[in-house]
Amino acid sequence: MPKVCLSSELSSPPGGPYSQIVIHDGLVYLAGSTPHTPGSGELVDGGFDKQARRAFDNLQALAAAAGTDLSNALKVTVYLRDWANFPAMNELFGQYMGAQPPVRTTIPVDLPGFEIEIDAIVAAA
């Protein structure tokens, strides 16, 4: 079965020549979602909480474009610019991932001008 590559205008625009979504063999791979506004690509202002919500919303939009949702997430990686934001991210993660959360790795990273990026592997619905 060949891979299927998709994109969605309802998520943050890609920052380079890569697919936002790749579907293969029952799995959906979602590229890193950042706190940029769909369409315009403008960075969300207003601190970590607003940026994190936008990044999670963008990730959900990618999952929806692939016909699934974050409740089917298997593996998520969260990249944080400031480790002090871990508790706030952890709370939001629980809200977005549902009663059976996926495995997760959280990595502190020097992100270029924004506070959070999230990618995921999700089961196809």
Side-chain angles (χ1 to χ4, degrees):
M1 169 190 250
K3 71 179 180 179
V4 175
C5 299
L6 303 172
S7 63
S8 174
E9 293 181 1
L10 300 177
S11 184
S12 52
Y18 58 84
S19 297
Q20 289 178 300
I21 305 160
V22 173
I23 303 170
H24 180 67
D25 201 24
L27 296 176
V28 179
Y29 300 85
L30 305 177
S33 289
T34 60
H36 292 84
T37 305
S40 72
E42 292 182 27
L43 180 64
V44 171
D45 290 329
F48 180 78
D49 187 66
K50 287 187 179 181
Q51 285 200 6
R53 287 181 188 280
R54 179 76 264 159
F56 277 110
D57 288 345
N58 287 341
L59 192 69
Q60 176 56 37
L62 293 179
T68 189
D69 61 53
L70 294 180
S71 70
N72 292 318
L74 304 170
K75 169 75 170 96
V76 174
T77 305
V78 179
Y79 307 90
L80 291 177
R81 187 175 191 186
D82 184 349
W83 196 252
N85 290 319
F86 182 86
M89 178 281 300
N90 209 36
E91 186 173 324
L92 285 172
F93 189 90
Q95 293 172 19
Y96 279 86
M97 296 300 160
Q100 294 183 328
V103 297
R104 179 184 77 199
T105 301
T106 307
I107 304 170
V109 149
D110 186 20
L111 295 167
F114 48 91
E115 298 298 322
I116 186 169
E117 183 169 355
I118 313 161
D119 61 35
I121 301 171
V122 183

